[in-house]
């Protein structure tokens, strides 16, 4: 009598493998370690030729009741056949899929099954996390789809799910797969795409959970690159298009043609982009072949998909549609994944007051829509933000004399003689950037291109130590108009082969005699020490012989592994915090050291600036350290030490400083030591609810609220400018620090008007010299603007404003520092984009009137007793739904409230009337909200803490 079959497991995890003996055990172990014990593993081997079968035999022998191994009789060349084979043998009520180079989170099966049973969903989706194996960096895959728990009765309720075509971060009911006859394609790549689309359309209920389920391990240099890593293969794009056509047919068969637009957008933003990445790295005939292969299908995509897709992928797709392979390559030079160096190689053009990616295809209406890059801000963003990049075109060697010639784009002719451009070629040691070699270059500035030439004695310039500093980066540092832009360098393979620069290492030429160029991970040029001459080759052979011994190989491997793990851990937050806590805060406090930070290092501005400048005027002896967030900081004082935010230098400065002074908050996870005094100036009085008075903060977990409170409790002193601040801001933030009722140092200039030289320079810089009135538009931010590529979207018609007032008024547009803005060139005569002016205070001073909304600038500008307009078209939503408010703006505002463009224009037309009609309200407003702003705030702070004999902490 045989015993009945045991109860089937809850989950069968199908693991597919091909020639992955080194990683398959880790993948299987991640299933065996599941907290849900009712599971089984089926490993399907697509006829591997390495040691995979032997590895699996050992695993099966160790776990015979949990692991089964199936070996296909021949290699299928795709993922579909092994997955189908695994499903056919599965005993579980639910099915999950895992690739041999990835892993499951320990609670993946438990969380997925629990949600499937709770909701009775056919399909459950969880969070997939991409893990860079080399760096440990983690990023969620399409996090907006899995940010909260939700159940959909149909894909029609959330068409964006079509973006997630992975089969591996999902759990399927086995009877659902059988009922709908859902199987993977076995003769094409990208079988996941069609399978996922079929499952979405067939599912009667789809559940989503935010928990981490799947670890997608990314190994850039893996020998066997995955399908997505080999996306430039012509066969791959052919299969992708064939599968996508089948999805189109599937949507039509399910009467779901309305989902086609979403699918087309995904194809533009993801599928096509993957295949065209790094296009310029291919020979031109291969570029043409890829574009021509994709073109017929791209021409079937709906025009609206191009208009609604993200700008750069949409441009690339449109140029494929037009058969413009050079244009496609130029877009993909700029549209790169993390870790790849971007470079601007196109010739931007202004046409009709708008900026376009190229002057080609502008006779086509769709082309004008898609190629319009005005909102990307190439016309007014700092040069350092444009990611120019430069190509080395020619290498000439004569003995040890080297002449390099390169070229880079001159975007819209912005690099001109008036900016006094100059540049240097800089070689930096990759392990210690303090060690560098630099030489000047000659620039020839043209309308569209800048050509540079560097001539130098290579062996005299390039003097590495040798052995200990084998790898060097190179950049072109461009200085123009007070900005610094570091350009990565690139070269074609033929030029790269010629880049062997003579060097004379300090340990003699027995260690190396040339700097040899190679393509770094970012696709840019880097250099390594190499041997070309007989002496260097002899020295290299001795080193190689030592390495080839058992002991040498082991030692070299250990050193390499130590270096790799050290690099990985060095930039991990936990490592930095450990250094901060265990090293920097244990060092002696440096008396007189003051760390200044404004708006998280984004600016040299606000009250920290005012205090710093008052200390300088007063002759205080101190060691100032200013924090910057930009890799190429500009606008900071030249006589101070600069530290990059979150760097080790930053952590050391904070750990050893006597004073912290900022206007927003140093990183929450940094503890302030007892001997450091923290002066928090804050950055504005409160109209909108702040801190623990915000609904969003009230909804946080207890742990999140404790973290915020701990960060606030670091403050020793907190500046306020009125009793209103005490009742609202200090109370909402639960301030326990001593309140300094001295006003805001940043506002001293508004009261004293003692910075006329600075104002004159600013007027000249902005071209405000023709006597027109100046109106400043300075709104606060909305959360949706912060992450939106287009940034600030004006709540009024700029064209109407310019048409009506352009000859009488210059409008300054100042977005919140968290939000970007791009000004169309058509309006340059009458509008200025002043987002890159560090400090808003002088902008207020030169403005004859202010247009704002809920920004705290209303409190500051009122000190000038000039007209204000409050343009608040979203008042009801912002005040009643989003942030809430501490008072009724409609009855309190010292200026008219407008909610439509017509109302705003009418208010601007009556600035003289505003000045008179609201005079009394402005005085009341200042008395209520600016009572401590007397023009002596900075002096009061300096006297309180830094005067000789009155130093306090």
């Amino acid at each position: 009598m045989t015993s009945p079959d045991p109860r089937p497991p809850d989950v069968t995890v199908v693991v597919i493998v091909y020639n992955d003996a080194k990683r398959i055990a880790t993948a299987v172990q991640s299933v065996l370690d599941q907290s849900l014990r009712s599971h089984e593993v089926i490993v399907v081997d697509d006829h591997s030729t390495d040691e995979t079968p032997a590895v699996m035999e050992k695993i099966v022998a160790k776990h015979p009741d949990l692991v089964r191994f199936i070996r296909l009789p021949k290699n299928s060349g795709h993922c579909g056949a092994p997955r189908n084979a695994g499903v056919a043998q599965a005993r579980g009520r639910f099915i999950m899929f895992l690739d041999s180079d990835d892993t499951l989170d320990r609670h993946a099966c438990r969380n997925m099954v629990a949600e499937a049973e709770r909701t009775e969903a056919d399909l459950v989706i969880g969070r997939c996390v991409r893990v860079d194996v080399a760096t440990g960096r983690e990023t969620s895959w399409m996090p907006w789809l899995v940010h909260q728990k939700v159940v959909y009765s149909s894909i029609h309720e959330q068409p964006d799910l079509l973006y997630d075509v992975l089969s591996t971060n999902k759990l399927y009911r086995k009877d659902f797969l059988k009922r709908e006859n859902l199987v993977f394609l076995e003769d094409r790549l990208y079988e996941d795409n069609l399978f996922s689309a079929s499952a979405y359309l067939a599912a009667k209920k789809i559940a989503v959970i935010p928990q981490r389920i799947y670890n997608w391990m990314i190994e850039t240099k893996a020998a066997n690159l995955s399908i997505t890593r080999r996306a430039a293969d012509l066969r791959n794009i052919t299969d992708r298009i064939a599968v996508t056509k089948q999805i189109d047919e599937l949507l039509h068969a399910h009467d779901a043609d309305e989902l086609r637009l979403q699918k087309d957008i995904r194809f533009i933003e993801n599928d096509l982009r993957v295949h065209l990445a790094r296009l310029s790295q291919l020979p031109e005939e291969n570029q043409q072949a890829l574009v021509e292969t994709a073109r017929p299908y791209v021409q079937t995509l709906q025009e609206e998909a191009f208009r609604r897709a993200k700008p750069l992928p949409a441009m690339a797709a449109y140029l494929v549609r037009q058969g413009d392979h050079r244009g496609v390559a130029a877009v993909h030079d700029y549209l790169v994944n993390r870790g790849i160096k971007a470079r601007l190689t196109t010739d931007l053009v202004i046409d009709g007051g708008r900026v376009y990616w190229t002057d080609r295809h502008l006779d086509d209406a769709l082309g004008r829509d898609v190629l319009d890059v005005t909102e990307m801000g190439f016309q007014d963003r700092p040069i350092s933000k444009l990611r120019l990049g430069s190509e080395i075109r020619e290498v000439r060697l004569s003995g040890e004399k080297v002449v390099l010639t390169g070229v880079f784009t001159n975007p819209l002719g912005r690099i001109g003689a008036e900016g006094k451009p100059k540049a240097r070629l800089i070689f930096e040691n990759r392990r210690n950037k303090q060690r560098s070699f630099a030489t000047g270059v000659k620039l020839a500035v043209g309308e569209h291109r800048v050509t540079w030439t560097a001539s130098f004695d290579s062996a005299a310039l390039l003097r590495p130590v040798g052995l200990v500093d084998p790898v060097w980066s190179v950049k072109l540092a461009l200085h123009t108009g007070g900005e610094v832009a570091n350009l990565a360098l690139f070269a074609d393979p033929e030029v790269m082969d010629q880049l062997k620069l003579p060097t004379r290492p300090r340990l003699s030429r027995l260690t190396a005699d040339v700097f040899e160029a190679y393509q770094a991970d970012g696709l840019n040029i880097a250099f390594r020490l190499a041997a070309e001459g007989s002496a260097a080759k002899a020295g290299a052979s001795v080193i190689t012989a030592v390495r080839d011994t058992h002991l040498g190989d082991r030692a070299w491997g250990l050193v390499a592994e130590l270096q790799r793990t050290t690099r990985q851990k060095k930039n991990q937050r936990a490592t930095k915090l450990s250094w901060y806590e265990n090293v920097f805060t244990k060092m002696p406090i440096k008396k007189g050291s003051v760390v200044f930070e404004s708006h998280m290092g984004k600016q040299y501005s606000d009250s920290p600036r005012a205090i710093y400048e008052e200390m300088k005027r007063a002759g205080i002896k101190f060691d100032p350290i200013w924090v910057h967030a930009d890799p190429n900081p500009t606008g900071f004082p030249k006589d101070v030490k600069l530290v990059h935010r979150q760097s080790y230098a930053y952590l050391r400065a904070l750990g050893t400083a006597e004073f912290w002074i900022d206007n927003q908050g140093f990183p929450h996870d940094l503890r302030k030591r007892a001997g450091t005094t923290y002066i928090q100036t804050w950055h504005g009085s409160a109209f909108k609810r702040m801190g623990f008075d915000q609904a969003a903060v009230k909804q946080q977990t207890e742990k999140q609220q404790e973290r915020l409170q701990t960060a606030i409790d670091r403050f020793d002193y907190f500046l306020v400018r009125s009793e209103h601040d005490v009742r609202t801001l200090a109370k909402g933030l639960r301030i326990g620090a001593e309140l300094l009722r001295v006003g805001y140092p940043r506002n001293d200039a508004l009261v004293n008007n003692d910075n006329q030289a600075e104002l004159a320079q600013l007027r000249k810089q902005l071209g405000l010299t023709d006597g027109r009135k100046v109106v400043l538009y300075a709104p606060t931010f909305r959360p949706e603007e912060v992450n939106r590529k287009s940034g600030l979207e004006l709540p009024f018609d700029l064209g109407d404003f310019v048409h009506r007032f352009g000859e009488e008024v210059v409008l300054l547009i100042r977005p919140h520092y968290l939000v970007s803005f791009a000004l169309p060139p058509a309006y340059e005569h009458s509008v200025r984009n002043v987002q890159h002016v560090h400090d808003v205070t002088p902008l207020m001073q030169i403005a004859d009137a202010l247009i704002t909304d809920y920004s705290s600038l209303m409190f500051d500008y009122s000190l000038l007793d000039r007209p204000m307009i409050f343009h608040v078209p979203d008042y009801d939503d912002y005040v009643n739904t989003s942030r809430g408010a501490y008072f009724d703006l409609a009855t309190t505002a010292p200026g008219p409230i407008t909610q439509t463009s017509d109302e705003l224009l009418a208010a601007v037309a009556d600035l003289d009337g505003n000045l008179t009609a609201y005079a009394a309200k402005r005085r009341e407003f200042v008395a209520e909200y600016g009572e401590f702003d007397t023009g002596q705030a900075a002096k009061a702070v300096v006297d309180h803490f830094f005067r000789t004999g009155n130093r306090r902490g």
Side-chain angles (χ1 to χ4, degrees):
M1 181 175 178
T2 60
S3 60
D5 290 336
R7 180 176 178 270
D10 287 331
V11 183
T12 296
V13 179
V14 176
V15 184
I16 62 171
V17 61
Y18 176 70
N19 283 356
D20 201 6
K22 290 185 177 180
R23 295 178 292 190
I24 183 60
T26 301
V28 173
Q29 193 62 47
S30 75
V31 184
L32 296 174
D33 289 341
Q34 287 295 299
S35 58
L36 179 71
R37 304 313 301 167
S38 179
H39 64 263
E40 69 169 354
V41 189
I42 298 179
V43 178
V44 185
D45 176 19
D46 199 14
H47 206 79
S48 294
T49 57
D50 68 351
E51 296 301 312
T52 295
V55 172
M56 284 309 308
E57 284 179 12
K58 293 179 181 178
I59 294 175
V60 172
K62 188 174 181 180
H63 306 280
D65 297 330
L66 294 176
V67 182
R68 286 186 281 160
F69 179 59
I70 300 171
R71 179 172 166 82
L72 299 187
K74 63 178 181 178
N75 177 250
S76 70
H78 305 85
C79 299
R83 285 190 181 137
N84 288 337
V87 171
Q89 296 295 320
R91 296 187 301 112
R93 295 184 298 127
F94 299 98
I95 307 290
M96 292 181 70
F97 299 105
L98 175 64
D99 291 345
S100 62
D101 52 349
D102 301 328
T103 62
L104 293 180
D105 180 81
R106 185 170 183 271
H107 304 293
C109 293
R110 179 181 295 279
N111 288 328
M112 297 288 257
V113 169
E115 188 65 7
E117 292 181 333
R118 185 184 73 85
T119 62
E120 298 182 342
D122 291 324
L123 169 64
V124 183
I125 305 169
R127 184 179 299 272
C128 172
V129 178
R130 290 167 58 97
V131 182
D132 188 313
V133 175
T135 65
R137 182 183 179 86
E138 297 185 350
T139 53
S140 289
W141 171 257
M142 300 186 178
W144 65 90
L145 295 177
V146 292
H147 70 281
Q148 63 181 358
K149 187 177 289 189
V150 64
V151 179
Y152 303 109
S153 60
S154 165
I155 182 65
H156 296 272
E157 293 183 10
Q158 177 52 290
D160 281 355
L161 289 177
L162 289 171
Y163 277 82
D164 180 9
V165 297
L166 301 180
S167 64
T168 48
N169 61 330
K170 299 173 179 67
L171 176 136
Y172 312 84
R173 287 186 181 274
K174 184 179 178 183
D175 58 5
F176 163 64
L177 298 181
K178 286 188 174 181
R179 181 182 74 233
E180 301 295 338
N181 193 29
L182 293 180
V183 294
F184 290 91
L185 290 174
E186 296 190 358
D187 60 346
R188 291 192 184 280
L189 304 174
Y190 307 106
E191 65 292 321
D192 272 16
N193 295 36
L194 184 60
F195 181 85
S196 295
S198 301
Y200 286 139
L201 289 165
K204 301 296 188 293
K205 195 178 287 186
I206 303 169
V208 176
I209 61 173
Q211 283 88 352
R212 180 176 186 148
I213 299 300
Y214 196 84
N215 300 312
W216 183 357
M217 313 304 286
I218 306 297
E219 293 193 64
T220 306
K221 295 182 178 179
N224 295 318
L225 294 179
S226 69
I227 291 166
T228 51
R229 302 292 303 166
R230 293 185 282 109
D233 294 352
L234 200 59
R235 175 201 169 188
N236 284 4
I237 196 169
T238 302
D239 277 7
R240 173 86 77 173
I241 290 170
V243 167
T244 306
K245 287 180 177 178
Q246 287 184 265
I247 294 173
D248 292 340
E249 295 169 0
L250 185 68
L251 292 172
H252 184 71
H254 280 78
D255 294 323
D257 289 320
E258 75 278 8
L259 298 178
R260 172 74 188 269
L261 177 60
Q262 204 69 33
K263 192 270 331 171
D264 285 354
I265 294 173
R266 186 199 186 282
F267 184 83
I268 289 172
E269 292 184 345
N270 186 77
D271 298 352
L272 185 62
R273 172 181 174 175
V274 165
H275 294 282
L276 299 178
R278 308 184 186 185
L279 189 66
S280 64
Q281 300 287 303
L282 301 176
E284 188 162 10
E285 60 270 22
N286 294 50
Q287 296 179 31
Q288 288 178 305
L290 275 171
V291 169
E292 289 305 316
T293 300
R295 186 181 183 189
Y297 181 73
V298 172
Q299 289 177 329
T300 71
L301 303 179
Q302 300 172 68
E303 289 193 358
E304 187 62 20
F306 293 91
R307 294 188 173 96
R308 289 177 53 180
K310 294 175 183 176
L312 286 168
M315 285 194 293
Y318 173 79
L319 293 167
V320 169
R321 189 179 193 258
Q322 300 301 109
D324 185 347
H325 71 276
R326 290 191 180 91
V328 178
V331 174
H332 278 277
D333 283 342
Y334 204 71
L335 174 64
V336 295
N337 294 324
R338 183 183 297 276
I340 306 299
K341 297 288 187 181
R343 52 174 171 155
L344 184 66
T345 56
T346 189
D347 288 334
L348 300 165
V349 64
I350 296 176
D351 187 87
R354 306 288 295 179
V355 181
Y356 294 91
W357 183 256
T358 176
D359 61 358
R360 302 188 300 279
H361 318 298
L362 298 185
D363 55 345
D364 174 41
L366 180 60
R368 290 192 75 85
D369 288 346
V370 174
L371 298 174
D372 187 333
V373 293
T374 306
E375 305 302 328
M376 294 178 68
F378 290 107
Q379 66 277 17
D380 54 16
R381 282 168 58 198
I383 294 290
S384 61
K385 302 288 187 184
L386 298 188
R387 302 185 295 177
L388 294 181
S390 178
E391 182 180 3
I392 296 178
R393 293 280 181 86
E394 184 181 11
V395 181
R396 283 179 287 162
L397 293 171
S398 177
E400 295 182 346
K401 183 68 180 284
V402 175
V403 179
L404 303 180
T405 302
V407 66
F408 57 90
T409 295
N410 186 355
L412 300 171
R414 290 180 57 192
I415 302 170
E418 66 280 1
K420 300 179 179 178
K422 59 182 181 179
R424 291 191 309 156
L425 188 65
I426 302 176
F427 299 82
E428 288 182 337
N429 182 238
R430 292 282 289 269
R431 295 177 183 172
N432 179 9
K433 293 191 176 182
Q434 300 301 313
R435 298 201 64 243
S436 63
F437 312 120
T439 184
V441 305
K442 292 182 179 180
L443 298 179
V445 180
E447 183 180 359
H448 300 293
R449 294 281 185 276
V450 178
T451 301
W452 58 269
T453 303
S455 302
F456 54 96
D457 185 324
S458 181
L461 175 70
L462 305 178
R463 297 297 311 277
V465 176
L467 292 182
V468 297
D469 51 0
V471 184
W472 294 74
S473 60
V474 62
K475 64 185 179 183
L476 188 72
L478 172 68
H479 298 250
T480 180
E483 295 183 55
V484 180
N486 290 320
L487 281 62
L489 300 184
F490 302 82
D492 289 336
E494 298 79 10
V495 174
M496 188 92 74
D497 289 342
Q498 300 174 45
L499 280 169
K500 295 181 179 180
L501 312 182
T503 182
R504 191 179 301 130
R506 298 187 185 278
L507 290 180
S508 87
R509 284 181 168 168
L510 289 174
T511 57
D513 57 2
V514 294
F515 262 35
E516 179 183 65
Y518 70 97
Q519 190 175 66
D521 291 345
L523 304 185
N524 57 305
I525 293 172
F527 285 89
R528 59 192 165 208
L529 291 177
E532 281 284 306
S534 57
K537 286 181 178 178
S541 65
V542 171
I543 296 171
T544 301
V546 172
R547 285 185 59 182
D548 285 345
T549 66
H550 175 72
L551 184 60
D553 181 63
R554 184 178 178 187
W556 210 278
L558 288 173
V559 170
E561 177 63 18
L562 178 62
Q563 291 176 337
R564 185 182 69 82
T565 56
T566 300
R567 285 195 300 270
Q568 286 181 16
K569 291 180 179 179
K570 181 180 178 182
N571 290 317
Q572 291 177 358
R573 189 61 181 170
T575 304
K576 288 187 172 182
L577 287 177
S578 178
W579 272 85
Y580 180 78
E581 284 291 337
N582 299 315
V583 180
F584 299 140
T585 59
K586 301 295 190 293
M587 297 170 69
I589 287 178
K590 294 176 64 178
K591 292 298 181 181
S593 63
V594 186
V595 177
F596 297 90
E597 181 174 298
S598 180
H599 295 305
M600 299 181 292
K602 294 178 183 293
Q603 299 174 354
Y604 170 65
S605 68
D606 212 82
S607 292
R609 172 192 173 182
I611 294 171
Y612 163 77
E613 292 182 351
E614 176 62 24
M615 293 174 72
K616 295 285 286 186
R617 277 193 295 268
I620 304 296
K621 292 184 178 180
F622 69 114
D623 181 15
I625 301 167
W626 267 93
V627 178
H628 67 93
D630 194 314
N632 301 304
T634 59
F636 288 86
K638 297 186 182 301
D639 59 346
V640 301
K641 180 180 180 180
L642 296 180
V643 293
H644 192 276
R645 201 168 197 266
Q646 303 291 18
S647 68
Y648 279 92
Y650 173 76
L651 298 177
R652 178 170 180 163
L654 288 175
T656 58
E658 185 179 7
F659 288 91
W660 292 0
I661 300 178
D662 91 315
N663 65 351
Q664 189 152 339
F666 291 103
H668 288 192
D669 53 4
L670 297 183
R671 177 182 59 84
K672 182 188 73 68
R673 61 194 296 186
T676 299
T677 299
Y678 190 167
I679 304 169
Q680 174 55 256
T681 70
W682 206 243
H683 54 277
S685 296
F687 164 71
K688 53 203 174 197
R689 292 192 177 274
M690 300 295 294
F692 295 92
D693 287 345
Q694 293 181 69
V697 176
K698 290 178 179 178
Q699 294 168 8
Q700 289 180 347
T701 64
E702 183 177 351
K703 186 175 181 180
Q704 288 172 319
Q705 291 185 0
E706 286 178 356
R707 184 169 180 265
L708 174 60
Q709 187 65 65
T710 299
I712 292 170
D713 287 344
R714 296 176 302 175
F715 305 162
D716 294 304
Y717 298 91
F718 189 84
L719 274 58
V720 294
R721 58 196 303 264
S722 68
E723 290 302 323
H724 166 77
D725 285 357
V726 178
R727 295 189 302 271
T728 58
L729 183 60
K731 183 173 178 289
L733 291 172
R734 297 179 184 172
I735 300 294
E738 180 179 335
L739 301 181
L740 297 183
R741 290 171 167 82
V742 297
Y744 281 172
R746 74 182 188 190
N747 288 343
D748 290 348
L750 300 178
V751 176
N752 301 326
N753 198 29
D754 57 358
N755 58 335
Q756 290 304 305
E758 179 184 8
L759 300 186
Q761 176 61 32
L762 181 60
R763 288 190 184 96
K764 181 180 179 181
Q765 175 188 332
L766 298 177
L768 304 176
T769 57
D770 57 5
R772 286 181 289 174
K773 283 186 175 179
V774 176
V775 174
L776 173 64
Y777 175 58
T780 189
F781 75 97
R782 277 76 173 163
E784 64 272 15
E785 294 174 335
V786 176
N787 296 316
R788 189 167 58 202
K789 290 288 186 182
S790 58
L792 174 66
E793 293 184 357
L794 298 178
F796 57 90
D797 191 307
L798 189 58
D800 287 349
F801 189 101
V802 170
H803 177 74
R804 185 162 178 183
F805 303 112
E807 298 306 315
E808 307 163 19
V809 171
V810 177
L811 180 67
L812 309 182
I813 297 180
R814 171 71 171 202
H816 190 276
Y817 70 91
L818 292 174
V819 180
S820 63
F821 174 69
L823 177 67
Y827 303 125
E828 287 178 348
H829 172 68
S830 303
V831 186
R832 307 287 188 271
N833 180 1
V834 293
Q835 67 175 322
H836 302 300
V837 175
H838 274 248
D839 203 332
V840 73
T841 298
L843 292 171
M844 289 191 283
Q845 290 179 269
I846 65 174
D848 298 294
L850 172 71
I851 303 171
T852 188
D853 47 13
Y854 321 104
S855 171
S856 64
L857 261 64
M858 69 172 83
F859 303 106
D860 308 313
Y861 194 80
S862 66
L863 296 170
L864 293 169
D865 194 25
R866 298 173 189 170
M868 288 190 281
I869 300 169
F870 296 83
H871 188 55
V872 289
D874 60 346
Y875 184 83
D876 290 338
D877 177 68
Y878 190 91
V879 172
N880 298 324
T881 305
S882 179
R883 283 292 292 264
Y886 285 118
F887 59 82
D888 181 13
L889 187 65
T891 59
T892 309
I897 302 284
T898 64
Q899 293 193 294
T900 68
S901 287
D902 288 343
E903 291 173 354
L904 174 63
L905 297 182
V908 173
D910 189 32
L911 291 180
D912 292 339
N914 181 318
L915 184 64
T916 303
Y918 288 90
K921 269 205 163 185
R922 285 195 299 273
R923 288 192 295 271
E924 293 171 5
F925 198 77
V926 171
E928 177 68 18
Y929 302 109
E931 59 187 300
F932 304 140
D933 277 330
T934 63
Q936 301 298 309
K939 183 177 184 300
V941 172
V942 173
D943 286 349
H944 191 79
F945 294 101
F946 301 105
R947 295 284 182 186
T948 303
N950 194 33
R951 198 176 188 87
R952 293 184 56 179

